[in-house]
Amino acid sequence: MKFGQQLKDSLIRDYYYYYIDYDALKDLLDAGRSEGSWSEEQEEQFVRALEEELEKVFDFQKLRTYSINQRVREMEVKVQEAVRSIDTMSPVSEQTFEDLEIDLEDILSDVHDLAKFTRLNYTGFQKIIKKHDKVTKWILKPIFAARLNAKPFFKDDYDALVVKLSKLYDLVRTRGNPVTGDSAAGGGQQNFVRQTTKYWVHPDNITELKLFILKHLPVLVFNASKEFEKEDSAISSIYFDNNHLDLYKGRLEKSEGAEAIRLRWYGGMSSDVIFVERKTHREDWTGEKSVKARFSCKEKNVNAFLRGEYTVDQLFKKMREDGKKPQKEIEELEQLAREVQYTVLTKKLQPVVRSFYNRTAFQLPGDARVRISLDTELTMVREDNFDGKKRAGNNWRRMDIGVDWPFSQLPDSDVERFPYAVLEVKLQTQMGQEPPQWVRDLVASHLVEAVPKFSKFIHGVATLLPNKVDLIPFWLPQMDIDIRKPVTHDFGIERQNQLSSVSTTDEMVSSQSTEMDEEDALERQDDHIHSPNYTSATEDEYEDEEDELTEAIPLLRVNRERHASTTARASHQIISALKGFGSKLRLQAEHLIFEPETRESPAPIMVQRVYRAPPGKKIFVPVRIEPKVYFANERTFLSWLEICIFLSAVAGSLNSFGDARALQASFFFVVTSVIMVIYSLGLYIWRVYAIRNRLAVRYDDRVGTSIVCGAFILSVFINYVIQVF
């Protein structure tokens, strides 16, 4: 869709006159192009008009931000007064809380509209500048970037506002009694199911997603007495690996016992406590759970610990002296520290990739039944010295960056700025219990795109070290696909009894339109979401203890379209079979042996994309292999042998007790039996090879069974002919 039309269709009624006048600016460019040349006077006129539009947008955004903050402060006073009155002789009525909830809904809508207004205008300025430079050949982008930074209407961060609104919404929703939850809720039961699913979130949908979630779950704040600061949500991790990237390969292939070792800290670089973590993958068939264990270490002792100079006894000496933790727990931590130190030294692990992001966590305190985290501004940074560059020197982390995203001081080859936010939904429900309806609506909405098994460590290594990896994750070739979807109606943040947008056209233009603006086509050619290396909240209580273990694909398993299509095909086959068994016998046989032919169906047309790996790379698709797969293959082989033994027995009986004709007939049964033994043995060996190598191939036998059955029928028929004639 052309951006001009998109802008018209997305206008918010109350903000109508404050948007960038994209069409007017575009007309100025078209007028200059029609004259054949672009003069200095036309350039001055265009820049002047652009400055006026920027001033208009900036002033309005600043005014609306002040207005929203003022309303939030007023709501804080009203909510506190209502809460305090509960314990008095004249508490406020239920209607008062309902009115407060409506007012908060209205503020949420204002924040959503302002965020949408900001992103749309920022996109408009970027597109019109790119169009200007392309059409006029006068380069304005670097100069206007400075003007944008002088009036940064697009840089407002709504995280602090989201935290405040979350507190107010929780107080109003619970009528002054915030739910603290039970620390054993769900976890103390014997029969519960953990589901962890990861999603990508487009930047256009981040604010709306946060506002939607906080209506159901409060933002998890560990220090409510402290004023929220941007640095509080920062999480940084240093992942370790060796020169052969053994840990990367193990985590990518999900090998049994595959480990990931990282050092993590919360907040800025001044944090003195570093957490040493080890994640171990366990296959389901082992009966064990994938675990993440960790212990803390002072930052000043990290280098010595990694070199083996700082012993485990020294590390836990103070903890033993304090006596605040049970002896058994201290012994487990010491064992973990020894194993991590041994692994680092024997496998020659070194810092490879740093991940940085700002996390917003949603959870009832002490309640693990529904936990949601949203990681924004995700960035991976090289920490290795594989190419001879001493990025960290002799230190365990580089010190030329901190939490100053987007790390513009780094060269492009050292940084991978992930284009999306990462949403992680963790559910802990009773066996057979459905997730909450609002969670099911969320993960099925247009706001998220499911990406099972997504890993920051794997993505960072695959994009920053392309010359050292042959296997890449399945999501990497899909990074240049736009994950935005058509808006889900009756979902998200909508102002009650009022349309939030207005279109200046009588006919709505489909979001699936293939018509693109000139700058859109240019972006498709010049801008790549890929890393340049490829061409084609503070406590770990909320962390992912079983992330790679329990991840479901996807959270919702019902596909109504597929179910309807399957039902239609089944009905069609039944009706066709009933119309005439004799005339349809051959077609039915082909249907059973070979792939079914495509039939007309009322199901919608589905577009299937084929993703190809970059040259010299292979896409690794996770394939779960359990011991029961090997057992199933053996049982199938034994079933074939059982039939072969039966045929051999028939042949032996004919040979031993029959006449000359029976002896001739037994020959065909022997031949059939030998063919089946050779075929089944070859099939068994091929399946074992495919299973061991985790090949994503078809393991069912569609042709061989029919051929062998035909040979058996032929043997019986020949035996009958010999006996009769």
Side-chain angles (χ1 to χ4, degrees):
M1 180 191 297
K2 287 187 176 182
F3 177 76
Q5 186 62 51
Q6 178 188 350
L7 181 63
K8 292 178 182 178
D9 292 341
S10 303
L11 291 178
I12 299 171
R13 177 179 296 155
D14 295 340
Y15 302 174
Y16 180 79
Y17 296 103
Y18 304 99
Y19 281 91
I20 178 177
D21 195 346
Y22 185 82
D23 287 341
L25 295 173
K26 191 176 178 182
D27 289 342
L28 290 176
L29 294 177
D30 293 339
R33 181 164 52 179
S34 62
E35 296 177 3
S37 62
W38 186 258
S39 64
E40 185 175 349
E41 181 180 353
Q42 290 172 321
E43 178 70 8
E44 292 178 356
Q45 182 183 4
F46 179 82
V47 171
R48 189 163 49 250
L50 198 62
E51 288 279 1
E52 293 174 357
E53 295 300 315
L54 177 59
E55 188 77 23
K56 176 181 67 175
V57 172
F58 174 73
D59 290 343
F60 179 75
Q61 189 271 342
K62 188 176 180 180
L63 178 63
R64 291 298 299 177
T65 301
Y66 175 81
S67 174
I68 291 175
N69 287 326
Q70 183 65 26
R71 291 183 63 190
V72 171
R73 286 191 289 269
E74 294 174 358
M75 284 299 300
E76 287 178 330
V77 175
K78 292 181 180 179
V79 171
Q80 292 298 333
E81 290 178 352
V83 171
R84 284 195 296 267
S85 69
I86 295 177
D87 297 328
T88 64
M89 299 296 295
S90 55
V92 297
S93 62
E94 178 68 20
Q95 183 62 42
T96 301
F97 279 106
E98 292 180 0
D99 293 341
L100 290 174
E101 192 167 351
I102 292 175
D103 291 342
L104 283 173
E105 288 270 6
D106 193 54
I107 295 178
L108 292 181
S109 299
D110 283 345
V111 176
H112 166 260
D113 291 348
L114 183 59
K116 182 179 177 182
F117 169 86
T118 300
R119 287 202 62 84
L120 203 57
N121 279 282
Y122 179 71
T123 303
F125 281 113
Q126 293 293 326
K127 285 184 174 291
I128 200 65
I129 291 299
K130 181 173 288 189
K131 189 176 184 67
H132 166 274
D133 293 356
K134 177 178 180 292
V135 170
T136 66
K137 309 303 180 184
W138 290 50
I139 306 303
L140 183 60
K141 185 176 181 179
I143 301 174
F144 195 73
R147 297 296 301 145
L148 279 175
N149 290 328
K151 297 183 182 296
F153 69 91
F154 56 93
K155 289 187 177 181
D156 267 14
D157 189 357
Y158 300 102
D159 285 349
L161 194 58
V162 167
V163 173
K164 290 182 180 179
L165 289 173
S166 173
K167 294 178 181 177
L168 295 176
Y169 213 99
D170 195 34
L171 285 172
V172 173
R173 183 176 56 245
T174 59
R175 303 303 187 251
N177 297 296
V179 179
T180 56
D182 181 7
S183 59
Q189 308 295 329
Q190 293 297 324
N191 297 317
F192 64 87
V193 179
R194 288 190 182 96
Q195 296 184 61
T196 301
T197 314
K198 295 178 182 178
Y199 303 85
W200 289 347
V201 183
H202 194 277
D204 292 352
N205 299 328
I206 290 177
T207 302
E208 182 176 5
L209 180 67
K210 288 182 179 180
L211 296 176
F212 175 81
I213 297 175
L214 71 80
K215 293 172 63 176
H216 303 276
L217 281 180
V219 175
L220 188 63
V221 179
F222 291 94
N223 189 0
S225 60
K226 179 180 178 295
E227 187 70 20
F228 176 81
E229 297 178 1
K230 181 68 175 178
E231 192 176 90
D232 296 339
S233 62
I235 300 179
S236 303
S237 302
I238 304 291
Y239 290 91
F240 282 66
D241 209 334
N242 56 26
N243 192 45
H244 301 290
L245 300 180
D246 292 333
L247 270 61
Y248 166 82
K249 295 174 184 176
R251 300 297 294 184
L252 178 60
E253 296 175 354
K254 297 297 179 185
S255 304
E256 166 59 25
E259 293 181 343
I261 295 178
R262 69 188 180 194
L263 271 62
R264 168 169 289 189
W265 69 96
Y266 302 93
M269 297 291 286
S270 60
S271 177
D272 187 46
V273 179
I274 307 299
F275 293 96
V276 182
E277 302 179 350
R278 183 186 66 182
K279 300 171 70 174
T280 306
H281 174 72
R282 297 297 182 191
E283 295 281 7
D284 289 346
W285 56 266
T286 62
E288 300 180 17
K289 300 292 185 181
S290 295
V291 294
K292 181 177 72 66
R294 72 174 187 172
F295 60 91
S296 61
C297 179
K298 293 291 185 180
E299 196 278 332
K300 62 181 180 180
N301 298 324
V302 171
N303 286 319
F305 175 79
L306 295 175
R307 291 193 298 264
E309 301 170 358
Y310 191 70
T311 65
V312 174
D313 293 335
Q314 292 175 294
L315 181 62
F316 290 95
K317 180 180 178 181
K318 187 175 185 302
M319 184 181 295
R320 284 184 175 275
E321 293 174 351
D322 292 341
K324 296 180 180 180
K325 290 189 176 183
Q327 185 69 21
K328 183 179 179 181
E329 183 178 350
I330 296 177
E331 291 176 355
E332 292 176 351
L333 291 175
E334 287 180 339
Q335 180 63 24
L336 172 64
R338 288 191 180 93
E339 292 175 359
V340 170
Q341 191 177 56
Y342 178 80
T343 301
V344 171
L345 294 175
T346 56
K347 293 187 177 181
K348 299 181 180 180
L349 302 184
Q350 59 178 295
V352 173
V353 171
R354 175 188 301 198
S355 69
F356 167 84
Y357 49 87
N358 287 298
R359 168 164 290 184
T360 304
F362 301 87
Q363 179 187 351
L364 290 173
D367 190 341
R369 287 173 293 184
V370 180
R371 300 183 294 172
I372 297 178
S373 64
L374 182 64
D375 300 335
T376 56
E377 300 173 354
L378 173 59
T379 306
M380 294 80 166
V381 179
R382 288 189 66 171
E383 294 275 348
D384 65 278
N385 58 0
F386 295 148
D387 55 357
K389 294 182 180 179
K390 292 287 186 179
R391 294 177 172 83
N394 295 323
N395 196 26
W396 63 277
R397 62 178 176 181
R398 62 192 302 168
M399 301 299 294
D400 55 343
I401 59 172
V403 294
D404 49 335
W405 185 87
F407 310 113
S408 55
Q409 70 271 35
L410 296 179
D412 291 340
S413 59
D414 278 13
V415 62
E416 164 71 9
R417 299 175 185 89
F418 196 70
Y420 308 122
V422 178
L423 178 75
E424 190 169 353
V425 180
K426 299 180 183 180
L427 297 177
Q428 184 170 297
T429 57
Q430 294 296 315
M431 189 72 69
Q433 182 182 2
E434 291 288 340
Q437 183 61 43
W438 69 270
V439 176
R440 297 164 63 189
D441 293 339
L442 171 64
V443 300
S445 71
H446 66 282
L447 299 178
V448 299
E449 174 72 16
V451 187
K453 305 295 182 182
F454 175 75
S455 167
K456 303 177 181 72
F457 168 52
I458 292 176
H459 185 84
V461 173
T463 54
L464 293 173
L465 303 173
N467 297 327
K468 294 184 70 66
V469 298
D470 297 324
L471 288 179
I472 61 175
F474 70 91
W475 63 78
L476 200 59
Q478 307 176 37
M479 291 297 296
D480 56 351
I481 304 299
D482 192 348
I483 66 171
R484 286 175 291 187
K485 307 173 186 175
V487 176
T488 305
H489 296 291
D490 300 327
F491 180 83
I493 304 298
E494 295 182 356
R495 200 179 301 276
Q496 296 183 358
N497 302 324
Q498 181 178 350
L499 295 175
S500 61
S501 62
V502 58
S503 174
T504 57
T505 58
D506 295 332
E507 297 181 359
M508 296 298 295
V509 178
S510 171
S511 62
Q512 302 297 325
S513 173
T514 58
E515 184 179 11
M516 290 194 300
D517 207 355
E518 292 179 4
E519 62 269 20
D520 292 329
L522 187 64
E523 285 182 359
R524 291 294 181 94
Q525 298 173 4
D526 297 340
D527 295 344
H528 296 279
I529 302 179
H530 275 311
S531 164
N533 295 311
Y534 279 110
T535 58
S536 15
T538 54
E539 285 286 338
D540 203 57
E541 174 184 344
Y542 189 80
E543 275 299 295
D544 43 348
E545 293 93 351
E546 302 96 7
D547 52 357
E548 71 282 337
L549 157 80
T550 58
E551 191 159 349
I553 311 176
L555 202 62
L556 301 178
R557 300 182 181 274
V558 179
N559 190 327
R560 293 186 176 87
E561 292 181 353
R562 182 177 298 174
H563 175 73
S565 177
T566 303
T567 303
R569 287 197 298 268
S571 301
H572 182 83
Q573 293 171 4
I574 293 173
I575 294 173
S576 299
L578 292 176
K579 285 183 178 180
F581 177 77
S583 60
K584 299 294 182 180
L585 182 59
R586 180 178 60 84
L587 295 177
Q588 291 298 323
E590 291 179 356
H591 176 81
L592 292 174
I593 297 175
F594 304 105
E595 289 286 351
E597 295 181 358
T598 305
R599 295 178 172 84
E600 293 184 0
S601 172
I605 298 176
M606 306 297 290
V607 179
Q608 181 179 6
R609 294 189 178 97
V610 177
Y611 300 104
R612 301 187 183 279
K617 310 295 180 183
K618 294 181 180 180
I619 301 175
F620 181 82
V621 180
V623 179
R624 176 177 293 181
I625 303 297
E626 300 178 0
K628 63 182 181 181
V629 178
Y630 291 96
F631 297 150
N633 188 28
E634 292 174 1
R635 286 196 302 270
T636 304
F637 177 60
L638 293 176
S639 298
W640 279 92
L641 290 183
E642 183 180 353
I643 299 175
C644 295
I645 292 172
F646 170 75
L647 291 178
S648 300
V650 172
S653 299
L654 291 174
N655 187 28
S656 301
F657 305 104
D659 53 11
R661 291 185 176 182
L663 181 61
Q664 296 176 1
S666 66
F667 172 78
F668 294 98
F669 283 101
V670 172
V671 172
T672 302
S673 178
V674 172
I675 292 175
M676 291 179 65
V677 169
I678 296 175
Y679 176 79
S680 60
L681 179 61
L683 187 62
Y684 170 75
I685 294 174
W686 175 82
R687 283 173 173 165
V688 169
Y689 172 81
I691 292 171
R692 286 181 177 176
N693 291 276
R694 297 173 178 261
L695 301 181
V697 296
R698 293 193 62 160
Y699 290 89
D700 58 317
D701 187 5
R702 296 174 292 159
V703 179
T705 306
S706 302
I707 294 177
V708 172
C709 288
F712 176 72
I713 294 174
L714 182 61
S715 299
V716 173
F717 177 74
I718 293 175
N719 177 53
Y720 173 77
V721 171
I722 292 175
Q723 293 294 335
V724 174
F725 300 101

